[in-house]
Amino acid sequence: MGRSAGSHADTDGPVLGISAYYHDSAAALVAGGVPVAAAQEERFTRRRHDPGFPAQAVDYCLAEAGLRLDDLAAIAFHEDPALKFRRVLATWLATAPHGFPVFRRTFPQWTAWKRRALDDVRARLRDRARGSLPPVVAHRHHASHAASAFHPSPYPTAAVLCVDGVGEWATTTLWHGRGTGLTPLAELRFPHSLGLLYSAFTYFCGFKVDSGEYKLMGLAPYGTPRYAPLIRERLIDVRPDGSFRLDLRYFTFQYGLTMVGRAFEELFGGPRRLPEGPLTEREFDLAASVQQVTEEVVLRLARTALRRTGERRLCLAGGVALNCVANGRILAEGVCDELWVQPAAGDAGGALGAALAESHRRGAPRAHVERGTDAMAGALLGPGYPAGRIAAFLDGRGAPATRLPGPELAARVAAELADGKVVGWFQGRMEFGPRALGNRSILADPRDPAMQSTLNLKTKFRESFRPFAPAVLAEEAGDWFDLPQESPYMLLTAQVAAARRREEEAPAAGVTGLDLLRVPRSTIPAVTHVDGSARVQTVTADHNARFHALLTAFRDRTGCPVLVNTSFNVRGEPIVRTPGEAYACFMRTRIDLLVLGDFLLDKREQPEWREEDDWRAAIPMD
């Protein structure tokens, strides 16, 4: 597919998308309007949420497709740096003199290169020595999110809702997707941001902003929303159509180095919880309260998007679209008939959205819509490792392994899972986005009441309150979860089906907080959260044949078509990318068995694992 230096692809040729310089940098390659490769830079550098230029992700995308820069029609950046600089400058001026410390720290970067980030992208791509440079173009941040939501969806037309912290100016946008076009309909602007409101509570409860929001969502069911009226009264004014304004007197994110200040602390009874400090009823209730308010706003915005467009299908992207509880309520309350959420809904997905927007602007079709499928290929767009490379790695390590044909491997692993073993499962191409979907996963038996604690404390080394997700055979999902449609990307929360609940074991009066963990609620307690919900992944043979075969084998042995599916990593570490990273995680943790492609490894048969340094000290807390 290569071309001679200095030549470039036709106007509708492949497009490389890039997101960078804030968090979750990524690269994505689109050909003919179809994603063919995508990866976050963190998976290569091993730095979680890496914000730098995604050099290795770019190299991977080009190599995966056998392309050089010469072969590309364009390179698309996920936002407009000049417009973003104008917003930053306007914010500094509007908040003077309070914002001077941030101004002094960040202004040199903006004047040196950030406001001309496209020039930096050009320079770094030239350094890759992969041919002459095609045009580099910018798409606005929310336009990239909207493109990532609608264009890969299976819908010919749909309403599109994008909600995040902030792009250039936009924090919330509504769009109408039709064919290959996206029409903007409405916009809310910084500093009024639902994403930043949620991040303020993430910060106040002692978690990292732009990283720990999913922890706050997981913490919410442990509390009661007793602060929700106060949030509505003092922090956010929400109108019937979902538009809103924040009372900025309680926030410092617009000019400070923190999210909230003294007024916020006084409103909620004292200073923020320190990171890694003990969790109290206040944090549980704060999480429940802001989650409830967030869901209310999202539901109103979704109804408005559908009313404005006349559609019954909805597409979502932006960081708030990773709030699977809010997504689940959209479906449960019948707001729309069908919902599709971009699996890389955060800033990493902006790289894909920018590439798709540019590709369709240049005339590429949405051919997958005629087939009634989405274009994400199960989000399995990252690097894969053929059997020969895995075998070479195992030989080089001297790691004993048994190679088994597919059906025999599935039956053997299913039997080990049913016997209580924890399995590291490494297959095919890596997932794009924050979720492991069956190719870089740690798997376990969901029927074991002790498994949630075992995985959290002894395998993942993370907080005990955090729930695990179930992967379920799509054809049997309705028998186990109250789920009105498929959920292939683990972005919808649903209640466990009544037939699988244990209502007689409801928590006794007075049981609160983390003590709720000890109360079984269903026949699959390891994936049932304390409110009876689960973040469901439905698995089809079309999207992931090998994972589907394993779930089928487990069902045939146990009668249960469900497995615990959590990402193959430990706390603070990106999901593993290579066989070597998978093997290291396997040996460092309480994973009993490792499957690398066709190869099965038993921990008891491996040579002694030795490391000179404490590996956990090298992985920062998330």
Side-chain angles (χ1 to χ4, degrees):
M1 294 180 67
R3 295 168 182 261
S4 61
S7 65
H8 285 289
D10 296 332
T11 56
D12 62 348
V15 176
L16 177 70
I18 291 174
S19 63
Y21 307 135
Y22 183 49
H23 61 85
D24 294 304
S25 294
L29 186 70
V30 170
V34 177
V36 296
Q40 297 105 296
E41 185 70 3
E42 67 164 23
R43 307 291 171 84
F44 300 87
T45 63
R46 313 308 298 161
R47 179 187 175 193
R48 193 167 170 84
H49 304 298
D50 192 331
F53 181 78
Q56 295 182 74
V58 166
D59 287 349
Y60 154 68
C61 288
L62 294 175
E64 178 68 28
L67 299 176
R68 291 163 48 87
L69 293 175
D70 306 275
D71 299 302
L72 302 177
I75 293 167
F77 194 62
H78 74 128
E79 63 184 9
D80 182 337
L83 183 58
K84 186 171 184 177
F85 176 63
R86 289 199 287 274
R87 187 260 296 171
V88 170
L89 188 60
T91 302
W92 283 333
L93 293 172
T95 58
H98 302 289
F100 182 71
V102 174
F103 174 85
R104 182 173 55 190
R105 190 186 72 170
T106 61
F107 187 70
Q109 291 182 335
W110 278 102
T111 55
W113 67 272
K114 273 193 172 183
R115 66 191 177 100
R116 295 185 295 271
L118 295 187
D119 291 338
D120 191 71
V121 168
R122 293 183 184 98
R124 291 177 181 270
L125 286 170
R126 289 190 188 99
D127 289 344
R128 308 314 293 170
R130 288 181 171 271
S132 61
L133 202 62
V136 179
V137 298
H139 289 261
R140 291 194 179 183
H141 190 96
H142 268 242
S144 296
H145 277 321
S148 78
F150 175 65
H151 290 316
S153 80
Y155 310 143
T157 65
V160 180
L161 172 61
C162 302
V163 187
D164 65 0
V166 61
E168 297 88 0
W169 279 101
T171 65
T172 304
T173 52
L174 306 183
W175 308 72
H176 194 181
R178 288 171 288 193
T180 59
L182 273 163
T183 303
L185 300 178
E187 174 179 302
L188 298 177
R189 290 191 156 202
F190 180 87
H192 305 288
S193 166
L194 187 62
L196 290 175
L197 173 71
Y198 205 88
S199 291
F201 280 87
T202 299
Y203 169 83
F204 193 68
C205 290
F207 305 120
K208 277 189 177 180
V209 173
D210 295 326
S211 173
E213 283 78 5
Y214 65 97
K215 296 185 185 183
L216 197 72
M217 181 181 66
L219 197 66
Y222 292 93
T224 57
R226 63 187 175 98
Y227 295 110
L230 189 60
I231 294 172
R232 297 186 197 99
E233 177 187 346
R234 305 291 287 274
L235 298 186
I236 184 170
D237 176 25
V238 186
R239 298 174 178 84
D241 65 356
S243 61
F244 56 86
R245 291 184 66 84
L246 301 183
D247 188 334
L248 299 174
R249 293 174 296 178
Y250 294 96
F251 303 94
T252 59
F253 59 75
Q254 64 273 40
Y255 58 78
L257 298 172
T258 59
M259 295 297 294
V260 299
R262 184 172 300 173
F264 195 98
E265 294 177 348
E266 291 174 354
L267 192 62
F268 295 109
R272 67 184 286 247
R273 168 185 172 256
L274 295 177
E276 308 307 316
L279 287 164
T280 69
E281 290 296 325
R282 184 183 71 157
E283 283 74 50
F284 302 144
D285 294 346
L286 285 168
S289 301
V290 73
Q291 178 64 33
Q292 184 182 87
V293 172
T294 297
E295 291 171 23
E296 291 170 0
V297 176
V298 168
L299 286 168
R300 292 185 187 185
L301 288 169
R303 291 189 178 101
T304 297
L306 294 164
R307 186 180 68 252
R308 291 280 300 271
T309 59
E311 298 284 352
R312 292 300 303 162
R313 299 183 179 110
L314 179 66
C315 300
L316 299 178
V320 176
L322 294 173
N323 193 307
C324 55
V325 181
N327 299 344
R329 279 197 65 187
I330 290 173
L331 277 178
E333 298 195 11
V335 174
C336 63
D337 294 339
E338 296 178 73
L339 178 65
W340 194 87
V341 186
Q342 165 56 234
D347 276 10
L352 178 61
L356 286 164
E358 184 64 19
S359 182
H360 290 301
R361 189 185 72 82
R362 291 169 174 268
R366 296 178 68 225
H368 64 280
V369 174
E370 297 180 6
R371 301 190 296 271
T373 63
D374 75 30
M376 289 300 295
L380 305 178
L381 297 169
Y385 294 84
R389 290 185 65 182
I390 294 174
F393 163 75
L394 294 173
D395 290 344
R397 280 229 51 115
T402 303
R403 189 169 189 177
L404 298 170
E408 189 175 339
L409 179 70
R412 171 74 181 277
V413 174
E416 298 282 7
L417 287 163
D419 195 38
K421 299 295 194 301
V422 177
V423 176
W425 183 256
F426 182 102
Q427 299 291 337
R429 295 180 69 179
M430 180 181 70
E431 299 89 341
F432 179 53
R435 309 289 183 223
L437 300 170
N439 277 17
R440 301 291 186 276
S441 294
I442 296 173
L443 308 175
D445 188 343
R447 302 169 303 158
D448 183 350
M451 189 57 72
Q452 192 260 4
S453 177
T454 297
L455 287 173
N456 267 331
L457 301 179
K458 297 181 179 180
T459 303
K460 301 279 283 188
F461 302 108
R462 69 184 199 180
E463 301 94 337
S464 63
F465 69 84
R466 289 168 60 179
F468 288 101
V472 58
L473 290 172
E475 58 268 32
E476 299 192 31
D479 294 333
W480 291 80
F481 305 99
D482 294 336
L483 191 67
Q485 67 170 56
E486 289 190 359
S487 176
Y489 301 119
M490 206 184 284
L491 285 170
L492 297 175
T493 293
Q495 289 290 303
V496 174
R500 311 298 173 182
R501 297 177 195 157
R502 291 177 174 173
E503 300 293 351
E504 70 277 7
E505 298 187 43
V511 178
T512 60
L514 297 183
D515 290 338
L516 292 168
L517 275 170
R518 294 194 287 271
V519 182
R521 285 170 175 76
S522 77
T523 58
I524 45 173
V527 293
T528 305
H529 207 9
V530 296
D531 60 352
S533 69
R535 176 165 48 91
V536 183
Q537 177 199 1
T538 55
V539 181
T540 65
D542 289 341
H543 272 164
N544 196 326
R546 181 158 284 202
F547 194 31
H548 187 272
L550 177 61
L551 283 160
T552 301
F554 187 76
R555 179 207 59 193
D556 293 346
R557 175 170 285 271
T558 66
C560 176
V562 182
L563 285 172
V564 178
N565 178 13
T566 187
S567 56
F568 202 154
N569 62 340
V570 297
R571 179 185 175 187
E573 176 189 47
I575 295 173
V576 301
R577 174 177 57 92
T578 68
E581 291 160 5
Y583 186 82
C585 189
F586 164 57
M587 295 302 295
R588 290 167 169 172
T589 67
R590 297 288 183 90
I591 298 175
D592 301 297
L593 299 165
L594 173 64
V595 180
L596 296 173
D598 297 330
F599 297 89
L600 177 64
L601 290 77
D602 190 313
K603 175 74 68 65
R604 296 167 298 184
E605 299 173 357
Q606 302 306 306
E608 183 180 358
W609 180 259
R610 293 180 179 177
E611 293 183 87
E612 293 183 3
D613 300 319
D614 181 1
W615 61 270
R616 274 189 283 186
I619 299 176
M621 289 292 187
D622 61 357

